[in-house]
Amino acid sequence: MKTLKAEGIVVNLESHEKDLVRSAGAKIRYPKGQIVFAVGEYADRAYFIENGWVKIYRIAEDGRRVTVAIRRQGEFFGLAEALCGGERICYAEAMDDIDLIVIRKDNFFTLLRENADLAIKIAMILGARLREAQATIHEIVSWPVPGRLVLLLLKLAERSGVDTGNGIELNLRLTHEEIACMIGTSRPTVSLIFNSLKNEKAIVMKGRDIKKIYPEKLKKWVK
Amino acid sequence: MKTLKAEGIVVNLESHEKDLVRSAGAKIRYPKGQIVFAVGEYADRAYFIENGWVKIYRIAEDGRRVTVAIRRQGEFFGLAEALCGGERICYAEAMDDIDLIVIRKDNFFTLLRENADLAIKIAMILGARLREAQATIHEIVSWPVPGRLVLLLLKLAERSGVDTGNGIELNLRLTHEEIACMIGTSRPTVSLIFNSLKNEKAIVMKGRDIKKIYPEKLKKWVK
DNA sequence: TTACATTTGTCACATGGGCGACAATTTATT
DNA sequence: AATAAATTGTCGCCCATGTGACAAATGTAA
């Protein structure tokens, strides 16, 4: 199954493929805030998210954090390193209470060898993510900060928003700090831009949740 | 075969795997400057480089170019889209006269289905590239321009330089413009930094070729 | 309710680096 | 060799953003 997105393509597993994955691993629950894996650990397992959100980030020597991906229900993470071997080069953290299928590396390889179609699917998933990452690189260098923030909101809306006909319901809680890490800017700058967006009613907040976004109004910032 | 690099891992094909690939496609020569594929084309084939260098880049609406990858001899390109289907979202251009193995999509899938190990290898390649792309994202947001330029030189040296004991021989010709596109900056800025590097003898030029680099001196810029 | 921690609003200040411009140089073309 | 094209050197101007700092607001624990 493929779902067409902004410009990338998200590849999802069929249900029988999910069952294959489940049978090769063990289900484990992690509480919010827990680090699933950290830089330097040996990458001997891959993870499949049954439930919840996971943040993948890196930390530079100077302490600067950069969130390189966010994964959710139905997606794998920790894949690339488990395939290539070697050490983790990023952190994975539970953004809420999550349920994961943890698959040991050797079981994972056995699974793929016995199911060429699944191996192809994994390659497709990684390919889609590569395109996504390249698109991100492109965005970072070609848009100033407000544009990047708007693009982030649009992407989040596509992934997990509900179109109400009048704006897209999001109900997402992200601190300005977290957003800053995702688009490579500083926290005060995010606050500033958020206020502009609120003022021109391109987004609706409810407390600290981003409740709704209006794509049409947002898109003015990226053209 | 795996070769350990700066922080990523480059996955290469075994020679029997290369033969499999060759048998599934046709060898074609492209002259320097030729566009192998362009944005919007239907992605119905994958490419394997027998010989030469290929530049993968994107162009924004405002005309800004961003080089998202450079591939060389022994590497695939156009993989991700051929796997996922859909349209090309970037351009591939021959940086010199090149020889490619062109594999039609359906043949490629047949090949992978019949060789699970090769499918896994492809997944590994894409995984390694994803890590690479994420590392690039990290670099772009955490280093100012001079650091990014130095990191580019170090990476190029690792991929195609020869260690002479006294500096690394590179013999690479890239215009400042091309470099600017790779690290997301402007051409004048690249010229400026290059002069600094020449002055402090961190690099040696010969005409317009980057002849040699001295990693030790360069590394001062990224710490 | 009180106290503490986290998150957000907002400022003043400094600056990296983009942009435009044009000359100087090198390389390609005829 | 002569002309054209591409590449590089270098300026001055200016603004988007990072930094640091602190107050205000909101959420959480005791």
Side-chain angles (χ1 to χ4, degrees), chain B:
Chain B
M1 179 173 57
K2 290 183 213 168
T3 321
L4 203 63
K5 296 286 176 160
E7 84 160 36
I9 286 177
V10 173
V11 184
N12 297 305
L13 294 194
E14 311 282 351
S15 67
H16 74 273
E17 291 171 327
K18 285 186 193 171
D19 290 338
L20 275 175
V21 168
R22 287 190 188 106
S23 69
K27 188 164 175 171
I28 301 187
R29 161 158 294 199
Y30 287 80
K32 175 173 179 172
Q34 172 108 15
I35 304 294
V36 181
F37 59 73
V39 166
E41 289 178 12
Y42 179 63
D44 60 349
R45 47 200 68 185
Y47 302 84
F48 180 79
I49 307 175
E50 286 281 30
N51 217 292
W53 293 76
V54 175
K55 179 164 62 174
I56 312 293
Y57 61 91
R58 305 171 45 125
I59 301 184
E61 304 82 42
D62 65 345
R64 181 190 277 277
R65 275 165 191 255
V66 180
T67 301
V68 292
I70 289 193
R71 307 280 171 222
R72 58 182 295 212
Q73 194 167 33
E75 298 182 318
F76 282 97
F77 69 93
L79 256 190
E81 288 116 318
L83 281 171
C84 298
E87 296 185 356
R88 300 284 176 195
I89 54 177
C90 49
Y91 296 84
E93 180 184 325
M95 294 179 74
D96 42 25
D97 292 348
I98 58 177
D99 295 306
L100 302 179
I101 306 290
V102 181
I103 311 146
R104 294 222 337 266
K105 186 178 170 176
D106 41 358
N107 291 335
F108 192 55
F109 271 90
T110 307
L111 182 67
L112 297 188
R113 253 188 228 103
E114 289 169 358
N115 298 276
D117 282 337
L118 185 59
I120 294 176
K121 195 59 136 329
I122 297 290
M124 290 170 69
I125 290 173
L126 289 167
R129 289 183 184 176
L130 176 59
R131 284 169 53 130
E132 201 181 290
Q134 290 179 340
T136 301
I137 292 174
H138 195 189
E139 282 165 15
I140 295 178
V141 300
S142 39
W143 291 106
V145 178
R148 292 180 352 227
L149 176 43
V150 163
L151 284 170
L152 173 68
L153 289 175
L154 292 172
K155 277 189 268 184
L156 288 171
E158 262 177 331
R159 268 177 86 184
S160 52
V162 180
D163 193 345
T164 65
N166 172 33
I168 297 184
E169 286 242 0
L170 249 186
N171 290 316
L172 192 61
R173 168 161 298 184
L174 286 172
T175 67
H176 293 181
E177 182 68 42
E178 280 177 305
I179 293 172
C181 292
M182 290 191 223
I183 61 175
T185 184
S186 67
R187 201 274 310 161
T189 302
V190 172
S191 298
L192 235 49
I193 300 169
F194 251 91
N195 288 334
S196 303
L197 295 179
K198 274 189 279 185
N199 285 336
E200 51 188 65
K201 305 207 195 311
I203 61 176
V204 177
M205 305 292 295
K206 183 182 186 179
R208 281 179 172 162
D209 292 349
I210 305 169
K211 191 157 190 305
K212 245 188 186 182
I213 73 163
Y214 293 93
E216 292 316 314
K217 292 188 181 171
L218 287 177
K219 280 177 186 157
K220 286 189 318 196
W221 290 81
V222 281
K223 69 166 177 32

Side-chain angles (χ1 to χ4, degrees), chain A residues 101-168:
Chain A
I101 306 290
V102 182
I103 311 144
R104 296 220 336 267
K105 184 177 170 175
D106 41 358
N107 291 335
F108 192 56
F109 270 90
T110 306
L111 182 66
L112 297 189
R113 251 187 231 105
E114 289 170 356
N115 298 276
D117 281 336
L118 185 58
I120 293 176
K121 196 60 144 310
I122 297 290
M124 289 169 70
I125 290 173
L126 289 167
R129 290 184 183 176
L130 176 60
R131 281 169 53 129
E132 200 182 288
Q134 290 179 340
T136 301
I137 292 174
H138 194 189
E139 283 164 16
I140 295 179
V141 301
S142 41
W143 292 106
V145 180
R148 279 155 36 203
L149 177 42
V150 163
L151 284 170
L152 173 67
L153 290 175
L154 291 172
K155 276 188 268 183
L156 288 171
E158 262 176 331
R159 269 176 86 184
S160 53
V162 180
D163 193 344
T164 66
N166 172 33
I168 298 183

Side-chain angles (χ1 to χ4, degrees), chain A residues 65-220:
Chain A
R65 276 165 190 253
V66 180
T67 301
V68 292
I70 289 194
R71 306 281 173 223
R72 59 180 297 211
Q73 193 168 31
E75 298 183 318
F76 281 97
F77 68 93
L79 258 188
E81 288 116 318
L83 281 171
C84 298
E87 296 184 358
R88 299 285 177 194
I89 54 175
C90 50
Y91 297 84
E93 181 185 322
M95 294 179 75
D96 42 23
D97 292 349
I98 58 175
D99 295 306
L100 301 179
I101 306 290
V102 182
I103 311 144
R104 296 220 336 267
K105 184 177 170 175
D106 41 358
N107 291 335
F108 192 56
F109 270 90
T110 306
L111 182 66
L112 297 189
R113 251 187 231 105
E114 289 170 356
N115 298 276
D117 281 336
L118 185 58
I120 293 176
K121 196 60 144 310
I122 297 290
M124 289 169 70
I125 290 173
L126 289 167
R129 290 184 183 176
L130 176 60
R131 281 169 53 129
E132 200 182 288
Q134 290 179 340
T136 301
I137 292 174
H138 194 189
E139 283 164 16
I140 295 179
V141 301
S142 41
W143 292 106
V145 180
R148 279 155 36 203
L149 177 42
V150 163
L151 284 170
L152 173 67
L153 290 175
L154 291 172
K155 276 188 268 183
L156 288 171
E158 262 176 331
R159 269 176 86 184
S160 53
V162 180
D163 193 344
T164 66
N166 172 33
I168 298 183
E169 286 242 0
L170 249 184
N171 291 314
L172 192 61
R173 168 162 296 184
L174 286 171
T175 67
H176 293 180
E177 181 68 41
E178 280 177 305
I179 293 172
C181 292
M182 289 191 224
I183 60 174
T185 184
S186 67
R187 201 273 312 159
T189 302
V190 173
S191 298
L192 234 49
I193 300 169
F194 251 90
N195 288 334
S196 303
L197 296 179
K198 274 189 279 184
N199 285 337
E200 51 187 66
K201 307 206 193 314
I203 60 175
V204 177
M205 305 291 296
K206 184 181 185 178
R208 281 177 174 163
D209 292 349
I210 305 170
K211 192 157 187 307
K212 245 188 185 182
I213 72 163
Y214 293 94
E216 291 317 314
K217 292 188 181 172
L218 288 177
K219 278 176 186 158
K220 286 190 317 196

